[in-house]
Amino acid sequence: MNAAANHLPAGLPAPRPARDGLDTPYYEGLLSGKLLIQRCTACRGWQWGPEWICHRCLSFDLDWAETEAAGRIFSWERVWHPVHPALAQHGPYLVVLVELPQADHVRLVGNLLGDPHQPVPIGGAVEGVFEHRPDGEPPYTLLQWQLTG
Amino acid sequence: MTTSAAGERTLRGRAAIAGVGETNYYKRGAAEDPEFVLALKAILTAAQDAGIDPREIDGFASYSNDRNDPSRLAVATGMARCVVVFRALAQGQFARFGQGPRLPGVSGEPAYTMPYGLMSPAQMFSMRCMRHLHETGVSRDTYKAVSLAAYHHAQNNPRAVMHGQLLSPEAYDEARWIVEPHRLYDCCMENDGAAALIVVPAERARDLPNTPVYLLGATTGSEHRAGAPCHNAPLYATACFTTLAPRLYEMAEVTPGDVDVLQSYENFTGGVVMSIIEHGFCTPEQANEVLTFENLIAPAGRLPLNTSGGNLAECYMHGLELVIEAVRQIRGDSPNPVSGARVSMVTSGPMVTPASNAIFGSEEVL
Ligand SMILES: [Zn+2]
């Protein structure tokens, strides 16, 4: 997994940890090139996005665990009509919803790297690519995806 | 909500729509009146249609974005004698929908999607629709049929913003993509205007000039964890009606086969197709054969759909125009009447949580 160049242009809203601290481990993980997902200490279930309670067993004893940034495309879309000025001159781009079978099939949103006109196979295997944005205030990292094999 | 003799909680036959009305409908930003004036004018028109003095109105329900909420409304009729439901939009004067936020940073759930360029309703919902097409084998031709039917119906509706602007199959196909799988004419418009309807207890409606249109049922809600964060709803490829639809039919005491005409909220045509399937009008396997232009148009289609033009071609009044059209179908003064319509259904903003739906009927189905 190599670091990616910026896939979408600068100027889109930057992700910032929630003030209540709920998702801070996720962002700290991405900065160091790791994918951390919320995991219940009681029932060992994974969940995403982060919540204060385990939606399976209702335990408050939630932790964060590393999982491989690899999954399958669950759905996708090719965006042609820009709704943000930063994308006005950019042309189409791909957004994918990636499920992680090794983590109870939680789903993450990211961009599919490569040719924006490529055919996108639902079910296709993808690997994560950490896109570091050191110039962000504060710096942040996005998790992007590319097809494998 | 009232309790029937049998003890079940039901709305059936308790309240009726006595009047409907709207202002002129405009392209976005084109209304001459301030938004509040639009609302007042629509309310006065609805009161006049109902044959009541507007001073009789003793309850108000502002109709919210993407939801029709006749259930809340019917609760209100227990406490109020005459409720007006209204919606006014003047999008030149206030913020638009469908635009990405101009913020330097976001946190919480938006932070998991917006930095990746997923930030508008079209982008949010298209992801669900793409999965639905994949899981079911439903064809995008069904989207096209929904869109062409709406534009077809608008040609008989002088109120429609798209009156006089017929959409050809070729123009539909050649229109640009907004977000795959949705092209331009799969997406609702943005408009100015206002609409209102007057709800009264059933016995009061019988004393008023219009044919009473009874509320047979209405439900509001969602599936288990439909609102799970960041596209993690367990039942992802749905319009969120899988649990509501059976409850609606049970309350209304009708089946899908009894429904004469359907108004189904179009934020995007993919959501309409899912709503129709989840309300039992066809299975996913039948959808490609059933959801054709010929079947979706009044008066002779098997399931006349969005017979005023709806959000796509009449006016995007957040679906209140669909409720009004459902009422007009029972009264017989729709621009595209389905002859002898006795049971008329509305489904609200698909793919949102909570979703809602309602069935109206004539006196003879009570
Ligand atoms: Zn648990």
Side-chain angles (χ1 to χ4, degrees):
Chain A
M1 284 177 275
N2 305 313
N6 290 357
H7 182 65
L8 291 180
L12 288 173
R16 290 176 182 163
R19 283 189 189 193
D20 56 18
L22 179 61
D23 57 11
T24 301
Y26 168 69
Y27 290 110
E28 288 177 346
L30 290 183
L31 281 169
S32 58
K34 290 178 180 168
L35 175 57
L36 301 184
I37 296 288
Q38 205 176 32
R39 190 170 194 189
C40 176
T41 305
C43 74
R44 309 299 294 154
W46 302 80
Q47 65 185 19
W48 186 255
E51 299 180 52
W52 291 107
I53 193 168
C54 171
H55 65 76
R56 288 183 183 78
C57 75
L58 309 186
S59 168
F60 287 96
D61 195 5
L62 291 159
D63 202 353
W64 292 80
E66 185 176 1
T67 188
E68 191 188 355
R72 293 193 305 238
I73 295 175
F74 184 80
S75 191
W76 65 281
E77 63 189 16
R78 195 176 345 257
V79 180
W80 292 81
H81 177 69
V83 298
H84 193 282
L87 294 163
Q89 307 303 321
H90 180 268
Y93 58 94
L94 290 167
V95 185
V96 283
L97 184 59
V98 173
E99 63 171 339
L100 307 182
Q102 70 278 18
D104 285 327
H105 298 266
V106 298
R107 303 174 200 138
L108 302 174
V109 166
N111 296 120
L112 186 66
L113 304 181
D115 182 358
H117 298 279
Q118 68 187 297
V120 183
I122 289 183
V126 286
E127 63 179 1
V129 178
F130 293 89
E131 179 184 314
H132 298 293
R133 300 282 189 110
D135 299 338
E137 292 173 11
Y140 62 93
T141 299
L142 300 178
L143 180 57
Q144 308 288 23
W145 301 91
Q146 64 187 13
L147 285 162
T148 60
Chain B
M1 184 105 34
T2 50
T3 303
S4 74
E8 75 268 34
R9 288 157 67 77
T10 183
L11 301 165
R12 194 176 197 280
R14 313 285 166 156
I17 313 299
V20 297
E22 60 271 283
T23 63
N24 285 338
Y25 289 150
Y26 303 92
K27 297 209 166 190
R28 178 181 58 81
E32 300 100 4
D33 288 324
E35 192 172 82
F36 192 64
V37 172
L38 293 171
L40 292 170
K41 286 184 172 177
I43 291 168
L44 293 180
T45 306
Q48 186 179 30
D49 180 60
I52 61 158
D53 186 317
R55 295 169 190 83
E56 274 188 55
I57 295 168
D58 59 356
F60 287 84
S62 176
Y63 192 84
S64 61
N65 191 17
D66 275 20
R67 273 209 298 284
N68 58 60
D69 218 347
S71 53
R72 185 178 306 163
L73 177 73
V75 173
T77 56
M79 292 172 280
R81 296 290 299 167
C82 183
V83 177
V84 63
V85 185
F86 67 97
R87 183 70 193 168
L89 286 166
Q91 297 200 322
Q93 298 164 30
F94 296 96
R96 291 180 66 183
F97 296 98
Q99 294 285 298
R102 313 296 197 260
L103 302 167
V106 286
S107 62
E109 190 171 351
Y112 310 138
T113 63
M114 287 184 181
Y116 303 96
L118 194 168
M119 55 182 71
S120 72
Q123 294 159 2
M124 228 179 304
F125 295 132
S126 292
M127 194 71 93
R128 289 181 92 110
C129 296
M130 189 71 89
R131 179 71 194 183
H132 181 258
L133 294 176
H134 172 79
E135 283 185 8
T136 59
V138 169
S139 160
R140 272 198 78 260
D141 288 347
T142 59
Y143 293 17
K144 182 177 175 178
V146 168
S147 178
L148 294 180
Y151 273 80
H152 173 84
H153 289 139
Q155 305 318 307
N156 284 335
N157 180 3
R159 285 182 292 267
V161 173
M162 292 299 171
H163 181 71
Q165 296 181 55
L166 187 62
L167 178 64
S168 70
E170 295 73 27
Y172 172 91
D173 286 334
E174 286 161 13
R176 60 195 169 94
W177 290 111
I178 300 299
V179 186
E180 291 176 50
H182 289 117
R183 291 187 184 275
L184 178 64
Y185 296 111
D186 293 307
C187 306
C188 63
M189 303 187 285
E190 291 183 292
N191 297 115
D192 289 0
L197 53 84
I198 306 280
V199 189
V200 298
E203 61 275 14
R204 172 96 166 93
R206 293 183 188 109
D207 297 334
L208 293 173
N210 281 323
T211 306
V213 177
Y214 298 94
L215 184 63
L216 298 183
T219 69
T220 304
S222 313
E223 296 142 0
H224 174 63
R225 287 184 58 74
C230 192
H231 297 253
N232 276 265
L235 272 179
Y236 185 66
T238 75
C240 299
F241 287 110
T242 61
T243 52
L244 286 191
R247 284 168 43 202
L248 177 66
Y249 288 122
E250 186 181 13
M251 186 186 292
E253 298 173 20
V254 300
T255 67
D258 298 322
V259 175
D260 297 305
V261 55
L262 173 65
Q263 315 301 322
S264 182
Y265 190 111
E266 330 93 308
N267 36 20
F268 304 98
T269 52
V272 177
V273 170
M274 285 192 260
S275 298
I276 293 172
I277 293 170
E278 286 162 38
H279 282 87
F281 294 105
C282 64
T283 65
E285 294 72 26
Q286 296 164 333
N288 294 340
E289 282 184 32
V290 173
L291 303 182
T292 62
F293 175 73
E294 290 72 23
N295 279 343
L296 297 181
I297 58 172
R302 187 170 150 178
L303 180 66
L305 174 75
N306 297 343
T307 47
S308 68
N311 287 329
L312 296 181
E314 184 186 27
C315 179
Y316 180 57
M317 200 41 53
H318 291 174
L320 189 52
E321 86 287 355
L322 297 172
V323 182
I324 289 176
E325 173 64 8
V327 169
R328 287 191 170 124
Q329 282 289 1
I330 299 297
R331 297 186 350 183
D333 58 353
S334 158
N336 292 283
V338 173
S339 73
R342 303 189 310 168
V343 177
S344 179
M345 186 191 277
V346 190
T347 68
S348 78
M351 307 178 280
V352 303
T353 176
S356 62
N357 51 18
I359 296 178
F360 299 97
S362 63
E363 181 96 40
E364 52 197 318
V365 294
L366 283 186

